[in-house]
Amino acid sequence: MPETFTAEHPADIVHSFAEHRRFLHNLAAMQLNSRDEADDAVQDTFAAAIDGVAGFSGQVPVRAWLVGILRNKIVDAIRRRARYIRLDPADALPSDDAEFDDRFTADGCWQPGVLHAAGPESSMAYRQLLELVDLCLQKLPANTGRVFLMREFLGLEFTEIASQLELAEGHLRVLLYRARMRLRDCVSRGWEDA
Amino acid sequence: MRPPDHHDDEHDDRNDGARFSCRDSTWLVSEARDRPLSATERAQLHRHIDSCPHCQVASKQFERLFAQIDDLLGHTRHNGG
């Protein structure tokens, strides 16, 4: 769908919010503790966007604009929390370093056949590519996804994430590494299957 | 996976290159999202990728993935080309 932002009437922009609700809700739910909290963050986002729609410049897509507002709402919610979020230890521990062993040979070279396609099929529209990334994000183990989004979506500093989750920084780095490795696996498989 | 031993000391760099693996390079590609790599790390990474066809594929995949993540999450990218 071709999107021209600047010419749109504010009422049309507001009308288009609904199609982004599920995406926003998924993002919020990966960060916050309950559906209710996620619902509130999305509602607050829409309310703020409706208030601010007259000032929306159209420089970025509507969704990117909403996502930016949601980011602030989630950061606020996280910072308001009095207590730490405990990660599920089963998912959070660095276990035995073995998670990606099957991707590499004993001396650390890529195994032939695990790399999949270097890039997407030309038949895939950009919107589909982003949907694929979204799908792969949803497949991350809950804690891995939460840590990844605190860093890559909320843009929080390592020290803040580490103290929010009572996690050592080294451990945090390992979780981020795992998230990116899993995402690469997942999207590159999707590019090949397209 | 634990971070491989990285030597930030520039003088340590010369004899280290041969032991730097594809697996090590994925670690640095991930780290580079979070912090600027040291000159030694950058040199290790590029030297390895230049000589390794598998890592050329993998690093292209990471690059595309990261750009798409930025778009998906509403980060504006500064287009360097």
Side-chain angles (χ1 to χ4, degrees):
Chain A
M1 163 171 43
E3 289 178 289
T4 48
F5 311 114
T6 40
E8 274 189 85
H9 193 271
D12 294 332
I13 297 174
V14 169
H15 193 67
S16 76
F17 287 175
E19 66 186 87
H20 305 295
R21 178 184 291 274
R22 193 180 54 88
F23 175 74
L24 298 173
H25 195 274
N26 284 344
L27 267 185
M30 288 175 77
Q31 300 293 297
L32 300 169
N33 280 334
S34 65
R35 289 196 68 84
D36 286 350
E37 261 191 298
D39 286 341
D40 288 348
V42 173
Q43 283 312 325
D44 290 352
T45 297
F46 285 152
I50 289 167
D51 283 346
V53 72
F56 176 61
S57 66
Q59 301 268 311
V60 296
V62 171
R63 188 163 83 173
W65 179 54
L66 293 172
V67 163
I69 299 172
L70 178 67
R71 177 185 304 126
N72 294 331
K73 301 294 175 197
I74 295 174
V75 170
D76 288 348
I78 287 178
R79 287 184 176 153
R80 266 200 312 269
R81 282 197 290 239
R83 50 194 172 74
Y84 296 115
I85 301 304
R86 290 314 194 92
L87 295 180
D88 171 6
D91 177 11
L93 289 173
S95 67
D96 55 4
D97 288 0
E99 174 163 356
F100 300 106
D101 278 358
D102 61 344
R103 312 293 198 291
F104 298 101
T105 62
D107 55 358
C109 295
W110 281 104
Q111 291 279 10
V114 302
L115 283 171
H116 311 290
E121 287 288 319
S122 55
S123 62
M124 287 182 85
Y126 200 65
R127 200 185 171 101
Q128 283 178 287
L129 291 177
L130 296 190
E131 274 168 22
L132 177 62
V133 177
D134 185 24
L135 210 69
C136 292
L137 265 179
Q138 303 297 324
K139 283 198 217 164
L140 290 176
N143 296 334
T144 309
R146 169 175 266 169
V147 166
F148 178 78
L149 288 181
M150 285 177 96
R151 177 72 199 145
E152 296 242 353
F153 171 46
L154 303 180
L156 300 180
E157 293 302 326
F158 271 52
T159 47
E160 182 167 9
I161 302 172
S163 79
Q164 276 279 342
L165 304 177
E166 285 193 308
L167 207 62
E169 246 186 71
H171 188 171
L172 183 57
R173 288 176 192 281
V174 170
L175 288 176
L176 289 169
Y177 173 76
R178 288 187 184 170
R180 292 173 183 135
M181 287 290 280
R182 280 170 175 264
L183 288 172
R184 185 210 61 83
D185 247 20
C186 178
V187 295
S188 68
R189 205 174 295 132
W191 294 340
E192 196 156 83
D193 293 345
Chain B
M1 153 112 190
R2 273 189 203 98
D5 286 333
H6 292 303
H7 305 283
D8 284 326
D9 180 358
E10 293 281 342
H11 307 292
D12 225 356
D13 179 35
R14 302 283 171 220
N15 300 320
D16 232 12
R19 285 186 286 126
F20 187 84
S21 69
C22 301
R23 195 165 183 161
D24 296 330
S25 83
T26 59
W27 176 263
L28 284 191
V29 165
S30 169
E31 286 282 288
R33 279 288 274 184
D34 299 315
R35 64 175 174 91
L37 299 182
S38 73
T40 306
E41 288 171 329
R42 274 203 311 276
Q44 284 179 315
L45 183 61
H46 288 142
R47 197 186 307 132
H48 179 86
I49 289 178
D50 284 348
S51 65
C52 173
H54 293 306
C55 287
Q56 284 161 24
V57 172
S59 69
K60 195 155 279 177
Q61 292 171 335
F62 278 118
E63 198 182 303
R64 293 189 159 126
L65 170 66
F66 293 162
Q68 290 166 10
I69 288 170
D70 286 342
D71 282 347
L72 188 70
L73 299 180
H75 295 297
T76 23
R77 270 182 291 144
H78 301 284
N79 264 329

